[in-house]
Amino acid sequence: MHLHHDPSAPPAEETDFGTFLKSDIRIGTVVEALEFPEARKPAYILHIDFGPAIGTRKSSAQITVNYTREDLVGRQVAAVVNFPPRQIGPIKSEVLTIGFADEAGEVVLFAPDRPVPNGSRLF
């Protein structure tokens, strides 16, 4: 999967609503943000609480340029929760935390503009 960070890139190929719904994107609250020195690119290991149905899941996130670990704890973030886990060095990244590229191509996290219950699904 190639991700386009270039804002001038054309739209992705056309899809339909059913395909969109296959991606389960939920809100969770970061409960812990750890250094990840073994990562090839600078990253944190996030522990994110997605509420009682999903629980707390881990995510490796390359967000060290725009966020400190202290910035992240207590912050709500959006993540795809139904991709298979990916082994990244010594950890299994269980969800894909999502964001957008800033002018420098660095990640800015995607989150609701007011608090919502952990586990809320994007629709």
Side-chain angles (χ1 to χ4, degrees):
M1 173 172 66
H2 180 69
L3 301 178
H4 295 285
H5 301 299
D6 177 2
S8 63
E13 104 183 36
E14 192 171 283
T15 187
D16 59 41
F17 192 61
T19 302
F20 168 73
L21 288 176
K22 289 180 181 178
S23 291
D24 189 349
I25 300 170
R26 305 279 183 123
I27 291 296
T29 299
V30 177
V31 294
E32 190 173 29
L34 305 171
E35 297 289 342
F36 189 9
E38 302 90 348
R40 280 200 311 266
K41 295 182 181 175
Y44 296 130
I45 300 168
L46 306 180
H47 291 239
I48 307 167
D49 177 5
F50 290 98
I54 295 172
T56 299
R57 300 281 175 92
K58 288 190 303 250
S59 180
S60 170
Q62 295 174 2
I63 56 175
T64 60
V65 172
N66 286 328
Y67 302 93
T68 66
R69 290 170 44 223
E70 295 75 23
D71 289 336
L72 294 164
V73 174
R75 176 186 289 267
Q76 286 198 306
V77 297
V80 180
V81 299
N82 66 330
F83 285 162
R86 285 186 54 205
Q87 191 72 40
I88 300 178
I91 75 144
K92 269 204 186 334
S93 189
E94 300 167 308
V95 299
L96 175 67
T97 305
I98 59 176
F100 295 91
D102 66 12
E103 296 84 0
E106 299 295 340
V107 177
V108 174
L109 292 168
F110 180 66
D113 65 358
R114 64 182 67 175
V116 298
N118 287 337
S120 292
R121 185 172 179 178
L122 180 73
F123 60 89

